[in-house]
């Protein structure tokens, strides 16, 4: 039994070593390229395999059924796949930041999108030569000044680009 356990552990260590070595290209140095420069709304930006734009941003305040005030910050975004392969697009590639550097993630509830006449950006694949646009909604604190939106290509090998937004207070 003890020898079987040693054999299993040795096999797992060898397998883990192979996985690590295959996942790391030791022949090339790590990339030293600088991140993309900040962009402005209405400016197409290519980052990685993505070409994206923030067409506009908007803010609205709602009062829920309990009388609580909800401030929603909107981004109207578009993707243009200029690559030779399909790319995925999704809401979680976007976040917004306020002037105190707090970050806010997207919301998915329909009451912030279709109910307001703002079609939500869906999550799917975009074939070469195709475009898709939609809205991303973010629940932010009342009085927050949102001054930056960020697009992230992916979590593990991602590159981010910031869109500098004119100061705005919802």
């Amino acid at each position: 039994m003890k020898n079987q356990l040693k054999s299993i552990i040795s096999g797992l260590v060898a397998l883990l070593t192979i996985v690590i070595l295959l996942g790391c290209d030791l022949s090339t140095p790590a990339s030293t390229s600088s991140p993309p420069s900040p962009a402005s709304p209405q400016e197409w930006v290519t980052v990685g395999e993505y070409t994206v734009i923030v067409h506009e941003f908007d803010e609205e305040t709602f009062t829920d059924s309990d009388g609580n005030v909800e401030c929603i910050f909107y981004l109207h975004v578009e993707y243009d796949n200029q690559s030779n392969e399909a790319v995925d697009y999704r809401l979680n590639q976007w976040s917004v930041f306020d002037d105190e550097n707090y970050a806010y993630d997207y919301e998915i509830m329909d009451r912030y999108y279709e109910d307001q006449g703002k079609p939500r950006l869906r999550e799917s694949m975009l074939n070469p030569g195709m475009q898709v646009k939609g809205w991303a909604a973010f629940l932010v604190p009342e009085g927050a000044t949102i001054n930056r939106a960020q697009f992230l290509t992916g979590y593990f090998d991602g590159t981010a680009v910031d869109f500098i937004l004119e100061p705005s207070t919802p």
Side-chain angles (χ1 to χ4, degrees):
M1 178 78 164
K2 191 174 184 180
N3 287 337
Q4 286 178 331
L5 186 57
K6 281 184 181 181
S7 177
I8 290 172
I9 291 172
S10 294
L12 289 173
V13 168
L15 179 61
L16 182 58
T17 302
I18 291 170
V19 168
I20 290 171
L21 289 176
L22 287 176
C24 299
D25 183 0
L26 301 177
S27 65
T28 57
S31 173
T32 58
S33 63
S34 58
S37 298
S40 299
Q42 296 295 321
E43 179 181 348
W44 284 99
V45 177
T46 299
V47 54
E49 297 178 337
Y50 294 88
T51 302
V52 295
I53 189 172
V54 173
H55 283 293
E56 62 183 300
F57 54 97
D58 189 17
E59 54 203 53
E60 294 185 26
T61 303
F62 302 96
T63 303
D64 69 13
S65 58
D66 295 330
N68 299 314
V69 174
E70 295 181 322
C71 298
I72 306 298
F73 190 88
Y74 290 100
L75 294 176
H76 188 213
V77 301
E78 185 173 359
Y79 293 65
D80 181 6
N81 185 357
Q82 298 177 3
S83 75
N84 294 324
E85 296 186 20
V87 296
D88 62 328
Y89 62 92
R90 53 197 188 281
L91 276 173
N92 70 357
Q93 290 177 296
W94 295 93
S95 55
V96 295
F97 297 81
D98 66 19
D99 61 348
E100 295 182 16
N101 296 318
Y102 288 102
Y104 304 96
D105 290 329
Y106 65 95
E107 293 292 326
I108 60 170
M109 299 176 70
D110 282 341
R111 68 183 174 155
Y112 300 132
Y113 294 99
E114 283 74 11
D115 293 355
Q116 304 305 317
K118 295 180 190 255
R120 177 178 44 209
L121 179 70
R122 300 295 173 177
E123 300 180 3
S124 190
M125 298 297 290
L126 191 62
N127 286 325
M130 293 184 65
Q131 299 83 30
V132 66
K133 63 172 99 172
W135 290 87
F138 305 87
L139 182 61
V140 300
E142 188 174 9
T145 300
I146 303 301
N147 60 9
R148 182 168 44 113
Q150 187 176 79
F151 172 79
L152 178 64
T153 60
Y155 287 116
F156 298 112
D157 59 351
T159 302
V161 63
D162 291 338
F163 288 86
I164 304 303
L165 310 175
E166 293 179 17
S168 174
T169 305

